[in-house]
Amino acid sequence: MTSRKEIIITAPDIYSEKLKNEFVKSGFEVFKFPVTEISLFDNPLFHNFYKNIKTYDYIILPSRNAVKSFFTHAEKYKVPAYLIQKLNFAVIGKDIDFLRHFGIFNVLKSQEASTFGIYKALKEIKVKKVVVFAPKTEKITEPDIIPDFTTALKTITEVERIDAYITKPNKSFNKEILQKIKKNNYDLIAFTSGGEIEALKYILNDSFLFSRLKFACFGPYTNSTALKLNIRAKVTGKKFYSFKDFAETLNHYFSNPNSITD
């Protein structure tokens, strides 16, 4: 990069510090602007789920918040740790490291760090019953990722979806950074999920400003939400399992802006 570029990251707090660190290492000036607010809630479906937890071949936790929800409620419903350690789990990418903090090592191996990667891996081993811990969205449209994932899973196994936490637009956003976005005074916004795009659209509440966003997508699944909303990324990451690779992709983009397309 010939000059210090300003990147706005919209990832939730649970991911944003690690993402910020990778961008700073790559020489970017980073502004954290988490656009979603996450909260756990006690879904009535949890009671039967934890009571019958041994009947599931795999417990699918497709986000770090899903992991947090699972273990928070496992403690509430007094599920013994020794039992949990015997269960099989599926998570995405680096969330496997987060899962290991809880002493879990029975984790599905997949070739692609995505929900589609989980689907392909499960298809190979022919499971009978799985559960998916999913986000419940409020005030924003749910991106297609989880609905498409559960639809695909239903072609190969019995699937139960449990809304395990709530995702909604952040009410406590930084107004100075919002003005930065409105004035187009930044180089790129880095989206790591479709939900972040939906939430920023809600916060802006201005179709014209939303259509003028300059942004990058972590990977093709995030980009699919952007395309559905008729906005086009400047660049989309290919190695969407690593924040480090995302930072390197943006670094390369600014050095060679005509060499990368979405």
Side-chain angles (χ1 to χ4, degrees):
M1 293 182 293
T2 56
S3 60
R4 194 169 173 83
K5 301 298 184 181
E6 295 187 354
I7 304 295
I8 296 172
I9 58 175
T10 57
D13 290 334
I14 200 167
Y15 292 112
S16 63
E17 193 61 29
K18 186 174 182 179
L19 179 59
K20 177 182 177 179
N21 289 341
E22 293 297 342
F23 280 165
V24 169
K25 288 177 187 176
S26 288
F28 296 111
E29 184 171 0
V30 181
F31 299 87
K32 291 169 64 174
F33 187 66
V35 293
T36 56
E37 180 181 316
I38 308 297
S39 59
L40 302 186
F41 73 107
D42 196 0
N43 190 324
L45 295 177
F46 282 145
H47 176 76
N48 284 333
F49 165 70
Y50 285 107
K51 181 179 178 181
N52 300 293
I53 198 168
K54 292 187 290 185
T55 66
Y56 298 89
D57 295 311
Y58 273 89
I59 297 168
I60 303 172
L61 307 173
S63 72
R64 193 161 292 199
N65 287 304
V67 175
K68 284 183 63 178
S69 177
F70 173 84
F71 285 100
T72 297
H73 291 100
E75 182 177 2
K76 177 176 180 177
Y77 286 93
K78 297 180 170 53
V79 183
Y82 75 84
L83 175 57
I84 293 176
Q85 290 171 356
K86 293 179 180 179
L87 303 172
N88 297 313
F89 292 84
V91 294
I92 295 175
K94 295 294 184 179
D95 284 350
I96 191 171
D97 297 328
F98 188 53
L99 202 58
R100 285 172 179 159
H101 288 310
F102 297 93
I104 303 301
F105 296 92
N106 297 330
V107 185
L108 180 72
K109 294 181 179 179
S110 59
Q111 296 299 312
E112 179 182 300
S114 68
T115 52
F116 185 60
I118 292 175
Y119 161 75
K120 289 194 293 185
L122 290 175
K123 188 176 181 180
E124 292 296 321
I125 58 178
K126 298 179 180 177
V127 295
K128 293 182 179 179
K129 184 179 180 182
V130 302
V131 62
V132 179
F133 269 41
K136 176 183 178 182
T137 57
E138 292 186 355
K139 298 184 179 179
I140 59 175
T141 302
E142 181 180 18
D144 293 333
I145 305 301
I146 296 300
D148 287 352
F149 177 47
T150 55
T151 297
L153 285 174
K154 287 176 182 177
T155 66
I156 61 171
T157 186
E158 181 183 346
V159 182
E160 181 177 352
R161 169 181 169 148
I162 297 180
D163 290 339
Y165 59 97
I166 296 171
T167 299
K168 59 185 177 182
N170 190 353
K171 299 190 300 291
S172 304
F173 53 80
N174 186 310
K175 293 182 180 179
E176 290 183 6
I177 298 179
L178 181 61
Q179 287 304 310
K180 199 175 191 60
I181 294 171
K182 289 182 175 181
K183 292 178 180 178
N184 202 25
N185 188 21
Y186 63 94
D187 291 291
L188 275 183
I189 298 172
F191 290 124
T192 63
S193 73
E196 292 167 31
I197 302 175
E198 292 276 6
L200 183 55
K201 179 184 179 184
Y202 179 89
I203 290 170
L204 284 174
N205 192 31
D206 187 315
S207 297
F208 177 70
L209 285 175
F210 183 70
S211 69
R212 295 177 68 241
L213 291 178
K214 300 176 294 185
F215 66 96
C217 289
F218 186 45
Y221 299 104
T222 302
N223 190 48
S224 67
T225 299
L227 293 174
K228 184 178 178 181
L229 295 174
N230 296 314
I231 57 174
R232 191 173 182 84
K234 298 291 186 181
V235 57
T236 298
K238 299 296 190 293
K239 298 180 180 179
F240 49 94
Y241 49 82
S242 165
F243 288 161
K244 179 180 178 180
D245 284 317
F246 191 28
E248 290 176 353
T249 296
L250 297 197
N251 208 333
H252 181 64
Y253 165 74
F254 284 117
S255 300
N256 307 273
N258 296 320
S259 67
I260 301 179
T261 63
D262 58 325

